[in-house]
Amino acid sequence: MSNPTIEALEKEIESILNEAEKKKLKIIGDAKKKAMEILSRPIPIDTYKLEAEKIIKEAEEEAKTILEEAKRKAEEIKNIDKEKFEKAVNRVVNVVAGIE
């Protein structure tokens, strides 16, 4: 009595595994088709090129602004009188030392 039940279960398991294998192969096949379709599409390089050029231009402008600001500050520091310079240095030293 138990043998036919075991055989029936084994057949059912085999049927389930076969069906799962078919579904797996179909899914893989569909995925490969979709991947090939995606890979065969032209890549919009011009769009990326324009975006890259825009980013580079913005970075160059920002770098130029930073450089001009640094030059301006350097000129201000260079032209500061000795008394103001000493006060500024002493204040920085006091802040770093924790006095202020």
Side-chain angles (χ1 to χ4, degrees):
M1 183 170 156
S2 64
N3 280 345
T5 305
I6 291 174
E7 287 175 11
L9 287 174
E10 286 176 347
K11 285 183 181 182
E12 185 66 26
I13 290 170
E14 187 175 330
S15 173
I16 292 170
L17 291 174
N18 286 336
E19 190 62 32
E21 182 70 18
K22 287 178 188 175
K23 287 181 181 179
K24 177 189 86 168
L25 293 174
K26 181 177 181 344
I27 291 169
I28 291 171
D30 291 346
K32 284 181 180 179
K33 285 178 189 173
K34 186 69 175 174
M36 292 305 293
E37 178 186 318
I38 291 170
L39 290 173
S40 68
R41 293 181 192 162
I43 299 173
I45 294 174
D46 292 337
T47 303
Y48 296 119
K49 198 181 263 188
L50 290 174
E51 183 68 20
E53 289 172 0
K54 179 183 171 190
I55 291 169
I56 290 168
K57 184 177 179 184
E58 289 173 358
E60 287 172 345
E61 288 174 6
E62 185 175 349
K64 183 179 176 183
T65 302
I66 291 169
L67 182 60
E68 288 171 357
E69 181 68 18
K71 285 179 182 178
R72 187 186 62 75
K73 286 183 180 181
E75 195 62 35
E76 286 176 10
I77 291 170
K78 188 170 85 172
N79 293 330
I80 195 168
D81 69 349
K82 190 172 183 172
E83 186 179 325
K84 283 184 179 180
F85 178 76
E86 287 177 8
K87 283 182 181 179
V89 169
N90 286 333
R91 183 152 183 347
V92 170
V93 169
N94 289 339
V95 169
V96 171
I99 297 171
E100 285 187 31

